[in-house]
Amino acid sequence: MLWGSFNVGGSPSVENYRDVFTRRNASFFLNSLLLASLSTLLATLIGIFLGFLLGKTDIPLKWALRPLLLLPFIIPSYIYGLAWANLLGKSGFLNNMLSNLPFVTAEGISNFIYSPFGASMVLGLALFPIVMVVAEGSFIGVNASLEEAGLLFGGRGRVMREVLFPMALRGIISGMVVVFVLAFSEFGVPFLLGVKVFTTKIFTEFSVFYNEKTATALCLPLVLFTVLIMTLERIFLGARPLEGLARGAGGRTYYYLLGKGRIPYTVACVVILCLSVFLPLVSLVMDSWSLGAYVRAFSLAGTGMVNTLVFGVIGASLLTLLGLILGYFLEKYRLPPTRELGFSMLLLFAVPATVIGVGLIKLWNRPGGLSQWIYGTFAIILIGYVVRFSPLAVRFMGDAYRQVPRSISEAAEVSGAGWWRLMVRIFLPLLIPRVVMTWVLSFIFCAGELGTTILVCPPGNETLPITLFTVMANSPAEVVSATAIILLVVVLLPLIVLLVLSSRVGRWQY
Amino acid sequence: MGKYLLEVILLLSFLGWTKAEGQEVVVYTSEDRLFSEPVLKEFEKRGGIKVRAIYDTEEAKSTGIVNRLIAEKDNPRADVFWSGDPVRPLLLEKRGMLEPYKSPHAIDIPEIYKDEGGGWTGFSARTRVLLYNKNLIKEGEVTQSIFDLLNPRWKGQVAMANPLFGTTSIHVASLFCVLGEERAREFLKGLKANGVRVVSSNGEVKRLVSRGEAAVGLMDTDDARMALLEGRPVGIVYPDQGGIGTLVMPNMVCIIKGGPNPEEARQLVDFLLSEEVETRLARAECAQMPLRPWTEVTRVPGLDRLRPMLVDYREVAKKLEEIYPYLKEWTGF
């Protein structure tokens, strides 16, 4: 199935590839590279900072900060971009405020937001939650006794530099790579802000020329580039210490008490929250507001709400389970065939949603039998989720397996534990924080999926992102923002429940 | 595994739930959902045939349903394609995907909006318009022609959607048909020299003009109407009424060859082509213009009172394909 969707329309001939490497494409490619690098940088800085505060300190209001800081990632990036264009455009509220400052003009700010730098800012802000979640998980996973040992010899700063960060690096880089690939393959935001990137090219081939072969050929550079990034990552991480996660042994995490720093750090969090969440949201809601809009949005959203919830939950659970199983085989056995499979799966992640959607149609839309049934029901949506996001789930879980000291699983095997027992008694308890984290991210990804779902979802049924984007055509702005808000709430609710639950059950906390 | 048991049960029940029962028709539509959904619901209520619809997003937001129709070609799942513009059905026609059907309800629709072979039939239309911001342009100074947009007075203040996509691409191709290659290129070149802002969609043009970030922009009647309804300080101009006229773009409906419910498909097409649906769409917020000249319209000028640009849609579709390389060059894509 994975391969099938990969080889859209059989093997494209050289003809389709001839035009791939032209000078103009190269400039598009450089733009993509710039956009992806800058947004990854921004997302990483914010993400590590917040991940550390949430995971390793006694910062107050964690229970509220944790879900709220996920919001920028839950808002569909196109809407998020639109909100920023509203804020910083010539007549925008923030633009008017900022242009009163010396050396800043309204024109300049507007030019900024409609540039690769503006688009990077938007994407960086939209994607930092990924780094934040992954960093938090990695920080918490670091064995407390190692840090305590370090503290005997040096100050907190040194322990952070020499123990904590190197230990958590594997996870953080993992998150960075995901952000990079996401920003690299992002289409909506750069298109909205008039930044010409490589994905626009692919989109144009599909949307204007209905030329799936050329479009698929154009994915080649994306895939090649992702291979390059991941190879670099492998080489770089190959030499890193693996055994960081042994907290399960004592179940402890070392906390850095903030003391007097509590207030400034909390303020910093709130500022980030305001900038990345409240300002854009307020601009969305205030742009036009009426109760009637919400009534209308609710009637439109109807089944979409239920579908998004149910299929998001099933999709996220499937993905997590898949990550749990495949991650194990990939990282623990490292046999050549599974390793290649793992690698090629990660490449799927770089393939645009439309290409996957068309591939799935070709594969499953066949007369009669099981495939006919699958294509006509919600099963195809789940398959879409799995194909698109399993690389993520497998990678997040695989990384976690690597951090479990080999000695633990070997000791169990020597004592005669089988695979199942090893899984249930050893890995699951150790990996629960990671499982929760993988589930949370998978859920957000699934619940927000548009590109593939719109191509395969059974007629007459839909998920909320589809409702939102189909309603967007010509609906009054207030109905659009109301629908967006409903989507946010629907995605956020189960996360709040889960996150509150997991902080109650201390050891589930990622 | 107990953790997933509940979900498996849920999944199975959902799969059972989505299985179709009784008469139904599957329609894919690129007409805005806001306007098409009520019409389809009405049909469902009337005839007892369940309508299963897939709506499209705007061109610039997903690659949408025409790609899906084409991908499903070997095993069609759709019965009817209701296109919001007059060019996309021609893409399907070119691929031999249309089942000819001459609806008895289409008899009083003018011939120019129908395929002589019955492949597609037009109804309710939109036209291209100029939307201007009243805070930035005084009533007396409003441009009456798209060619005025080349005037240096509007330098950097004009917005239009990317001419590779949607109705803007149809508009530009029509200009190439009407003006001829050379004058059309000159016009586009002039626009560029005058600093036209090329944005992602007509909706984006509307947003910029409404907020005063652009003074004037090109879009479709329904976008412009929505800006008025939102209470923005804007005015609408039907351009070139003393000259080449403005482009009229009817909806088009066609039946997909080999679809699962051919009989129901014909019933839906009959309904869509009825005078009643044209009247409905004229009264809706989008205020589409009925192709039957006697149908009363109040919110916009009727087609009989507008000077339309005289084009043959098949020629426009052909021209569009011809000029794509040029448009790609022009937009820098």
Side-chain angles (χ1 to χ4, degrees):
Chain A
M1 179 191 72
L2 296 177
W3 287 115
S5 56
F6 209 84
N7 300 323
V8 177
S11 49
S13 68
V14 196
E15 180 77 8
N16 294 316
Y17 286 89
R18 200 191 295 148
D19 295 333
V20 170
F21 301 98
T22 61
R23 179 175 291 179
R24 184 179 287 163
N25 282 2
S27 83
F28 278 63
F29 202 78
L30 286 179
N31 260 349
S32 286
L33 208 59
L34 178 71
L35 181 72
S37 311
L38 287 179
S39 15
T40 309
L41 187 70
L42 181 64
T44 307
L45 291 178
I46 303 180
I48 292 184
F49 176 70
L50 291 173
F52 177 78
L53 286 180
L54 289 178
K56 298 295 281 184
T57 69
D58 55 342
I59 195 156
L61 299 177
K62 261 188 210 175
W63 58 271
L65 286 173
R66 205 172 261 137
L68 284 179
L69 283 167
L70 286 174
L71 273 174
F73 181 46
I74 300 175
I75 307 174
S77 60
Y78 187 89
I79 304 273
Y80 197 65
L82 202 61
W84 276 104
N86 271 343
L87 278 171
L88 290 180
K90 249 182 264 169
S91 60
F93 153 76
L94 205 58
N95 185 316
N96 294 342
M97 240 168 66
L98 290 174
S99 53
N100 288 330
L101 301 173
F103 309 118
V104 187
T105 64
E107 193 70 33
I109 298 174
S110 168
N111 287 343
F112 163 77
I113 188 72
Y114 290 100
S115 76
F117 302 100
S120 304
M121 183 196 79
V122 171
L123 278 181
L125 286 176
L127 296 174
F128 80 77
I130 301 181
V131 181
M132 177 186 84
V133 167
V134 177
E136 188 189 348
S138 311
F139 284 139
I140 292 182
V142 172
N143 193 340
S145 51
L146 292 177
E147 285 170 282
E148 283 157 357
L151 283 171
L152 292 177
F153 297 100
R156 282 212 274 180
R158 199 167 153 207
V159 172
M160 278 187 220
R161 263 198 324 274
E162 294 181 8
V163 179
L164 184 65
F165 280 98
M167 286 284 180
L169 198 61
R170 171 172 290 279
I172 292 172
I173 288 188
S174 204
M176 283 172 69
V177 168
V178 170
V179 169
F180 189 92
V181 175
L182 276 179
F184 199 73
S185 51
E186 167 71 30
F187 165 72
V189 170
F191 195 60
L192 173 74
L193 298 178
V195 179
K196 288 169 184 157
V197 292
F198 198 71
T199 38
T200 344
K201 232 17 228 202
I202 300 176
F203 181 81
T204 313
E205 286 298 331
F206 261 117
S207 199
V208 175
F209 305 106
Y210 302 99
N211 189 345
E212 82 194 38
K213 294 237 160 73
T214 314
T216 313
L218 278 170
C219 298
L220 183 73
L222 278 183
V223 172
L224 283 181
F225 190 71
T226 314
V227 174
L228 182 73
I229 290 282
M230 287 195 286
T231 315
L232 282 179
E233 186 200 3
R234 265 180 185 223
I235 295 170
F236 178 65
L237 284 183
R240 293 273 141 194
L242 292 180
E243 302 187 357
L245 191 131
R247 148 179 109 111
R252 283 183 313 119
T253 295
Y254 181 82
Y255 287 101
Y256 296 79
L257 301 181
L258 291 175
K260 275 190 198 143
R262 266 175 77 121
I263 293 169
Y265 280 117
T266 314
V267 170
C269 275
V270 172
V271 168
I272 292 176
L273 198 63
C274 282
L275 266 179
S276 66
V277 179
F278 293 126
L279 262 179
L281 274 188
V282 165
S283 100
L284 263 189
V285 176
M286 293 309 285
D287 188 39
S288 42
W289 197 93
S290 76
L291 194 63
Y294 279 83
V295 176
R296 202 159 156 188
F298 255 107
S299 74
L300 280 167
T303 52
M305 286 193 283
V306 182
N307 290 343
T308 303
L309 261 182
V310 172
F311 288 94
V313 167
I314 299 177
S317 307
L318 277 177
L319 282 167
T320 311
L321 191 68
L322 200 73
L324 209 58
I325 296 170
L326 277 184
Y328 176 80
F329 284 111
L330 290 184
E331 293 304 338
K332 278 294 156 186
Y333 282 120
R334 308 239 202 124
L335 301 172
T338 48
R339 211 174 123 177
E340 300 319 311
L341 175 77
F343 203 66
S344 57
M345 251 178 98
L346 289 175
L347 298 187
L348 260 185
F349 191 52
V351 179
T354 307
V355 178
I356 290 186
V358 170
L360 284 177
I361 294 177
K362 303 246 155 172
L363 192 67
W364 292 100
N365 182 31
R366 295 185 180 165
L370 183 68
S371 60
Q372 173 93 358
W373 179 81
I374 286 179
Y375 185 68
T377 62
F378 271 112
I380 190 74
I381 296 184
L382 292 178
I383 292 177
Y385 288 165
V386 169
V387 173
R388 276 212 72 195
F389 302 125
S390 55
L392 277 185
V394 171
R395 122 150 271 158
F396 284 144
M397 286 314 301
D399 277 343
Y401 277 112
R402 281 183 165 215
Q403 288 187 312
V404 174
R406 241 161 210 251
S407 51
I408 297 186
S409 56
E410 277 164 2
E413 277 175 65
V414 167
S415 323
W419 181 81
W420 180 250
R421 221 183 141 116
L422 200 65
M423 203 70 197
V424 173
R425 300 295 292 274
I426 307 282
F427 285 120
L428 217 50
L430 278 175
L431 296 180
I432 279 272
R434 255 311 160 100
V435 171
V436 175
M437 181 200 94
T438 307
W439 196 93
V440 167
L441 287 181
S442 302
F443 178 75
I444 301 177
F445 272 112
C446 291
E449 214 293 324
L450 174 75
T452 302
T453 312
I454 200 167
L455 280 172
V456 300
C457 88
N461 284 298
E462 61 191 24
T463 55
L464 269 185
I466 296 184
T467 317
L468 176 61
F469 279 84
T470 53
V471 160
M472 209 183 285
N474 256 329
S475 285
E478 51 190 28
V479 178
V480 177
S481 52
T483 316
I485 301 288
I486 290 177
L487 173 64
L488 285 191
V489 173
V490 165
V491 177
L492 200 57
L493 272 182
L495 293 182
I496 289 180
V497 171
L498 183 74
L499 291 178
V500 168
L501 208 75
S502 73
S503 57
R504 283 279 161 82
V505 187
R507 39 189 226 106
W508 281 19
Q509 195 178 326
Y510 60 70
Chain B
M1 285 304 281
K3 188 175 159 198
Y4 300 100
L5 192 64
L6 181 69
E7 286 148 12
V8 171
I9 293 171
L10 261 176
L11 171 66
L12 290 177
S13 57
F14 253 87
L15 295 181
W17 172 63
T18 54
K19 274 196 98 168
E21 295 146 21
Q23 272 191 307
E24 61 166 26
V25 59
V26 178
V27 53
Y28 291 6
T29 176
S30 63
E31 170 60 47
D32 293 338
R33 175 184 190 154
L34 188 67
F35 313 125
S36 54
E37 196 169 22
V39 172
L40 294 173
K41 285 258 149 69
E42 180 63 30
F43 173 73
E44 197 170 67
K45 218 165 72 189
R46 250 356 123 71
I49 298 175
K50 179 153 179 55
V51 177
R52 299 213 289 142
I54 291 187
Y55 304 93
D56 208 356
T57 67
E58 282 179 275
E59 290 85 13
K61 301 197 180 73
S62 82
T63 44
I65 58 173
V66 173
N67 270 305
R68 180 165 178 171
L69 279 166
I70 294 173
E72 288 178 346
K73 187 180 165 208
D74 295 332
N75 183 29
R77 295 300 188 113
D79 297 304
V80 173
F81 175 43
W82 169 1
S83 171
D85 70 63
V87 164
R88 274 183 270 203
L90 300 170
L91 292 169
L92 303 183
E93 182 184 55
K94 210 176 107 191
R95 290 169 165 82
M97 292 169 60
L98 301 185
E99 177 77 41
Y101 173 59
K102 288 190 173 175
S103 165
H105 288 209
I107 243 161
D108 46 7
I109 288 176
E111 292 302 320
I112 49 164
Y113 299 119
K114 293 188 283 197
D115 173 31
E116 60 276 20
W120 39 264
T121 314
F123 61 111
S124 301
R126 298 177 288 171
T127 76
R128 292 291 280 178
V129 293
L130 287 167
L131 188 77
Y132 64 95
N133 187 303
K134 286 182 174 168
N135 297 337
L136 299 174
I137 304 182
K138 284 194 216 90
E139 198 99 17
E141 300 175 342
V142 181
T143 53
Q144 297 297 329
S145 161
I146 57 169
F147 299 102
D148 289 346
L149 301 177
L150 304 181
N151 191 325
R153 190 187 175 298
W154 306 118
K155 197 164 177 78
Q157 298 194 61
V158 180
M160 71 186 279
N162 191 322
L164 280 172
F165 300 100
T167 49
T168 312
S169 68
I170 300 172
H171 191 187
V172 169
S174 305
L175 288 176
F176 271 77
C177 287
V178 170
L179 299 176
E181 194 85 14
E182 203 171 313
R183 278 187 66 203
R185 282 184 189 224
E186 224 148 78
F187 173 66
L188 282 179
K189 217 163 151 193
L191 275 180
K192 203 177 207 177
N194 215 18
V196 66
R197 244 175 111 174
V198 178
V199 300
S200 62
S201 66
N202 288 321
E204 225 354 61
V205 177
K206 180 190 89 176
R207 190 180 72 89
L208 292 176
V209 175
S210 300
R211 295 170 64 89
E213 293 181 28
V216 56
L218 270 170
M219 66 192 69
D220 306 333
T221 33
D222 50 352
D223 302 296
R225 288 273 320 159
M226 294 316 287
L228 280 181
L229 286 178
E230 282 170 20
R232 311 284 187 177
V234 290
I236 301 175
V237 172
Y238 293 84
D240 296 299
Q241 290 307 297
I244 57 170
T246 189
L247 178 66
V248 174
M249 300 169 296
N251 283 274
M252 274 189 184
V253 64
C254 46
I255 294 182
I256 302 295
K257 194 183 270 174
N261 312 293
E263 176 47 40
E264 288 81 359
R266 283 190 285 274
Q267 288 186 37
L268 177 59
V269 169
D270 287 346
F271 177 73
L272 288 179
L273 293 176
S274 66
E275 198 172 333
E276 184 196 336
V277 167
E278 280 210 312
T279 312
R280 263 188 93 107
L281 286 172
R283 291 193 183 143
E285 288 157 331
C286 53
Q288 300 205 347
M289 299 148 168
L291 298 184
R292 295 173 176 86
W294 58 86
T295 314
E296 198 188 326
V297 272
T298 46
R299 294 176 155 176
V300 283
L303 277 184
D304 50 339
R305 274 185 280 153
L306 276 181
R307 177 186 286 209
M309 205 185 273
L310 294 171
V311 288
D312 171 337
Y313 297 113
R314 215 176 250 134
E315 221 167 87
V316 172
K318 220 173 101 197
K319 187 54 98 183
L320 187 55
E321 262 179 281
E322 272 171 45
I323 62 171
Y324 268 137
Y326 172 74
L327 291 179
K328 260 168 111 168
E329 203 59 45
W330 189 83
T331 50
F333 266 39

